[in-house]
Amino acid sequence: MRHGQSAGNVARDRAHADGLARIDIADRDVDVPLSRLGEEQSRALGTWFASLPVAERPQILLSSPYARARATARLVAEAGGLAADAVQPTADERLREREFGILDRLTGSGIRELHPEQAQYRRELGKFYHRPPGGESWCDVILRLRSALDTISLHYAGKRVLIVGHQVVVLCLRYLVEDMTEDALMAIDAEGDVANCGVTEYRFDPTLPPDGALRLVRYNFATPLEQAGAPVTSSPDAAVAAR
């Protein structure tokens, strides 16, 4: 799942609405907190998990170390969304947001104005492979997520695992789990943003070749928020201008 709405999401929307080059936010990306709405969304999703049968609630909760993801994980747990035998939420730096380097806190117009050469590189390479100076490409994120998935398979085999991450993390995990191509992933991304607290669910299907595999059950599922009366939001993170 993606974290709840953050203060960075709000600041980004304001910058775009005002036609600004820079996003006005004082915190480091790692320290950007949830907005009040983001807290409401996180509690709503935790309540939904708590309403599931005991045998379907997450047993393991992993999160990005970024403040907005850790707060989302904590609020889900506090709302009773985990199995009774679940361990406390654990942060894993491999699940962090994509790093944007010199493009951090810039809107799309800001990138074109201040770093036109990077805008050109991105057009030529495509967003999947473009790596801004000091930042990461989508491929870089995928590389660290391969390692995270190996760890999950090693230590949590047979467990129900909930990961609280970021938009690009959710999409790149789909790329890995479903063995996608670049074109397939970019097509999903082009359809729209991942909702704050939107859930992507997989279940193990023993009938899939060769020896069973994870099967996608639902993607970007935000119905629990709607049922709780919490508005559904899907703005990209503040530093996501060239994603």
Side-chain angles (χ1 to χ4, degrees):
M1 59 172 284
R2 187 186 177 195
H3 59 77
Q5 186 195 58
S6 73
N9 298 147
V10 177
R12 177 192 180 279
D13 287 346
R14 187 181 304 118
H16 276 273
D18 294 343
L20 302 177
R22 296 186 183 275
I23 298 165
D24 183 16
I25 189 163
D27 298 307
R28 298 183 305 164
D29 196 20
V30 66
D31 297 323
V32 171
L34 290 177
S35 66
R36 290 187 179 181
L37 175 55
E39 293 176 352
E40 180 184 353
Q41 292 169 332
S42 302
R43 292 190 187 97
L45 191 62
T47 300
W48 176 76
F49 275 117
S51 73
L52 297 177
V54 174
E56 294 185 15
R57 297 175 198 165
Q59 298 167 289
I60 305 296
L61 178 49
L62 305 175
S63 84
S64 158
Y66 282 34
R68 54 192 180 273
R70 297 185 74 160
T72 299
R74 174 179 53 80
L75 291 169
V76 167
E78 290 178 354
L82 304 183
D85 60 347
V87 299
Q88 290 299 309
T90 301
D92 187 323
E93 72 284 349
R94 294 171 296 183
L95 302 174
R96 71 187 185 277
E97 172 65 291
R98 179 187 163 212
E99 296 177 0
F100 300 93
I102 64 171
L103 304 184
D104 189 20
R105 308 184 194 209
L106 297 182
T107 61
S109 61
I111 292 172
R112 291 187 292 274
E113 174 187 342
L114 300 171
H115 299 286
E117 76 289 350
Q118 292 302 317
Q120 179 63 28
Y121 292 156
R122 182 185 178 280
R123 285 191 293 270
E124 294 175 355
L125 295 173
K127 67 195 309 183
F128 190 75
Y129 288 105
H130 176 244
R131 179 193 294 138
E136 294 180 297
S137 69
W138 283 47
C139 288
D140 293 324
V141 176
I142 288 168
L143 181 61
R144 54 177 157 90
L145 290 178
R146 285 190 188 277
S147 169
L149 286 180
D150 284 347
T151 299
I152 291 171
S153 298
L154 177 64
H155 293 290
Y156 306 126
K159 300 287 187 180
R160 298 181 298 278
V161 179
L162 174 62
I163 296 172
V164 181
H166 307 266
Q167 172 157 286
V168 172
V169 169
V170 171
L171 291 169
C172 289
L173 283 172
R174 284 202 64 180
Y175 173 88
L176 288 169
V177 173
E178 300 174 50
D179 194 22
M180 287 183 179
T181 63
E182 173 192 355
D183 289 344
L185 180 61
M186 292 296 98
I188 293 172
D189 176 61
E191 291 174 358
D193 295 318
V194 177
N196 294 113
C197 284
V199 174
T200 299
E201 180 183 357
Y202 294 90
R203 291 179 183 264
F204 182 75
D205 186 343
T207 67
L208 294 177
D211 300 308
L214 292 175
R215 174 176 54 83
L216 180 67
V217 175
R218 47 190 160 192
Y219 167 62
N220 214 6
F221 177 66
T223 300
L225 306 188
E226 298 170 350
Q227 292 173 339
V232 177
T233 55
S234 59
S235 173
D237 283 347
V240 84
R243 90 185 156 77

